[in-house]
Amino acid sequence: MTSLRLRLVAVFAAVALTAAVSASGIAYWLNRDAVLTRAQNAALNDFRASMSRNAGSLPGTPSCEKLEAAAVQIGSNTQNYQVVLTGKDVAGKQCTVKSRTDGFPLGDVPASLVKAVTTPRADSSAYHLYWQRVTLGGQPYLVGGAKVIGGGPTGYMFKSLEAERKDLNSLAWSLGIATALALIGAALLAQAAATTVLRPVQRLGDAARQWGAGKLDTRLKVSGTDELAELSRTFNRTAEALENRVAELSAREAASRRFVADMSHELRTPLTAITAVAEVLEDEADSFDPLIAPAVRLVVSETHRLNELVENLMEVTRFDAGTAKLVSDEVDVADQVTACMDARAWLDSVELDAPRGIFVRLDPRRLDVILANLIGNALKHGGSPVRVKVRQVGEELVIEVADNGSGIPEDVLPHVFDRFYKADASRARSEGSGLGLSIALENAHIHGGRITAANAPDAGAVFTLRLPIDKEGDQR
């Protein structure tokens, strides 16, 4: 991707090059026209005057000697042009002479110029002075021609324009060098302008990246009154408003967490007493009146649910506050999974495929929480049999928990780990709080692992836990 700085320099250079080339071209053509016109007019005017003085005084049919003398006289000029005179003598013989023996022959005169000179005009001037620029032998020349009015010889002049060409070439080189210098200067100016323009943009980008890194107190230094300065002021105002809003939301979130933690903590004391009473009532439930026993069992069940909910809320609060810690130990995963199911009397309801000898360093209590939630969820919402498979894949411990139910609807899959989420429309009503899978996922994250949910090809839901081996995870 082309940088903005490079594009600015390229645009400046293109504009400068266009302007310099246009200006140089116009200057060159104006100077060229002025130089050639000046040399042309000087030579033609001198040739006209010399023809009038020398050839005009000749008789209508001059001899070749007189014609040659006139040619030499006309050729002796300050303009350094050569002359060719042609005319008929008394005997009617065509005589052509040159001002210099090594001069140009009549054949070098362009045919179009000869035709123009020898063609009579319709006005009172029977003949007129004509000229043409040609290249002879690789060099530029001005060729002029005229016929003496009233009859007489016809004269042609050859004026070399080599000096003018050299002057124009020198001018072209000078203009080319000036164009190159202008282009270099434009590039330097473009670089300076790009730096001036892009420095605030770069500072704005750096500040935005610091925002993305969470440094909401980042501000831009503002100077000037242009559009970039106004953009910086807007950025600062936005940053201040965002920082205040985030601080307000953070304060509310912290207050909410404190409230949940305090409420959960305060509930533990009365819940302990209520749980003790509920356990006594549960032990004596068979001795109660048949009409009262169902109510007693309901109270006991809801007390256990309330106690579990409070424990889950306290655990969630610890995760949110970042105070959850790992207490790692090296364990045999097969023994850990078996102990989890044995403690909850699930051994008869679960098919376990867990080879011994897979030792992993992890927090046994948190692994027990993960397994209890995944297996318990499969037993409640899936269908028997529930299958638990433990294996090592590379540097990862993989535990799969699969049920034999109808699977998880596609619209529910993205939300199964959300807090308090229950797919009531697709499964039987849950007796849990909706926090179990969320807590399991957090416990996987604290180990540096993850949990995924999917549907098996042959029906049923599959939850897969992946934990790194020999890695203590994120010690929060």
Side-chain angles (χ1 to χ4, degrees), residues 345-352 374-388 401-407 427 458-461:
W346 290 341
L347 289 175
D348 296 334
S349 306
V350 177
E351 296 179 2
L352 178 61
L374 295 182
I375 299 174
N377 185 74
L379 289 171
K380 288 179 182 178
H381 304 298
S384 295
V386 172
R387 297 173 298 278
V388 178
V401 179
D403 60 41
N404 198 36
S406 59
R427 289 186 173 182
D458 55 349

Side-chain angles (χ1 to χ4, degrees), residues 171-187:
L171 176 62
W173 274 105
S174 299
L175 292 175
I177 293 172
T179 300
L181 293 176
L183 182 60
I184 295 173

Side-chain angles (χ1 to χ4, degrees), residues 24-354:
S24 298
I26 293 173
Y28 176 80
W29 285 108
L30 289 176
N31 279 275
R32 179 180 182 276
D33 185 67
V35 169
L36 293 179
T37 300
R38 183 171 60 250
Q40 171 183 299
N41 290 342
L44 292 176
N45 290 336
D46 186 85
F47 176 65
R48 185 199 305 272
S50 186
M51 279 284 291
S52 178
R53 286 195 310 271
N54 297 288
S57 62
L58 294 174
T61 55
S63 64
C64 285
E65 290 78 7
K66 291 183 179 181
L67 194 62
E68 183 176 1
V72 172
Q73 187 65 31
I74 298 173
S76 301
N77 57 80
T78 58
Q79 296 297 322
N80 295 321
Y81 55 78
Q82 301 179 40
V83 176
V84 176
L85 293 181
T86 181
K88 292 182 179 181
D89 59 10
V90 177
K93 180 181 178 182
Q94 189 72 31
C95 182
T96 301
V97 297
K98 299 182 288 186
S99 60
R100 291 169 49 180
T101 58
D102 59 345
F104 291 95
L106 184 63
D108 285 342
V109 179
S112 58
L113 182 62
V114 173
K115 181 179 180 181
V117 171
T118 58
T119 300
R121 293 170 58 88
D123 56 12
S124 58
S125 298
Y127 296 94
H128 188 69
L129 177 62
Y130 295 91
W131 61 270
Q132 186 175 342
R133 286 197 289 266
V134 298
T135 300
L136 300 173
Q139 294 187 354
Y141 284 89
L142 172 68
V143 181
K147 187 175 181 65
V148 175
I149 299 174
T154 302
Y156 297 98
M157 58 153 284
F158 290 83
K159 164 66 176 175
S160 175
L161 299 177
E162 181 63 21
E164 286 74 15
R165 183 170 71 171
K166 291 180 178 179
D167 291 342
L168 291 176
N169 287 340
S170 298
L171 176 62
W173 274 105
S174 299
L175 292 175
I177 293 172
T179 300
L181 293 176
L183 182 60
I184 295 173
L188 295 176
L189 288 175
Q191 177 70 15
T195 301
T196 302
V197 171
L198 295 180
R199 187 179 294 113
V201 177
Q202 184 178 9
R203 288 200 298 263
L204 184 61
D206 293 339
R209 282 189 289 273
Q210 292 179 6
W211 263 22
K215 298 178 181 179
L216 299 181
D217 58 343
T218 302
R219 298 293 185 273
L220 292 173
K221 183 179 179 181
V222 182
S223 60
T225 57
D226 55 12
E227 290 82 357
L228 290 174
E230 183 60 30
L231 178 61
S232 298
R233 293 188 183 92
T234 302
F235 179 91
N236 288 341
R237 288 193 294 267
T238 304
E240 184 177 2
L242 179 61
E243 183 181 17
N244 293 337
R245 183 60 176 168
V246 169
E248 180 184 352
L249 292 176
S250 297
R252 290 183 181 179
E253 183 181 3
S256 176
R257 286 199 301 265
R258 284 195 303 270
F259 172 75
V260 173
D262 293 343
M263 179 187 68
S264 301
H265 181 74
E266 291 299 326
L267 285 174
R268 294 190 71 178
T269 301
L271 271 177
T272 302
I274 294 174
T275 302
V277 173
E279 290 175 353
V280 173
L281 291 175
E282 187 177 15
D283 293 338
E284 300 295 331
D286 294 336
S287 62
F288 291 141
D289 186 285
L291 296 177
I292 300 176
V296 172
R297 292 190 179 89
L298 178 61
V299 169
V300 171
S301 174
E302 295 301 317
T303 300
H304 288 315
R305 287 189 60 200
L306 181 59
N307 193 55
E308 181 183 357
L309 175 60
V310 171
E311 290 296 332
N312 287 341
L313 286 174
M314 293 187 68
E315 185 73 2
V316 168
T317 303
R318 284 191 287 270
F319 282 123
D320 289 345
T323 59
K325 301 291 183 181
L326 282 177
V327 181
S328 299
D329 191 12
E330 191 172 41
V331 299
D332 187 318
V333 179
D335 292 342
Q336 189 71 21
V337 176
T338 302
C340 172
M341 294 190 299
D342 185 43
R344 294 164 179 81
W346 290 341
L347 289 175
D348 296 334
S349 306
V350 177
E351 296 179 2
L352 178 61
D353 179 8

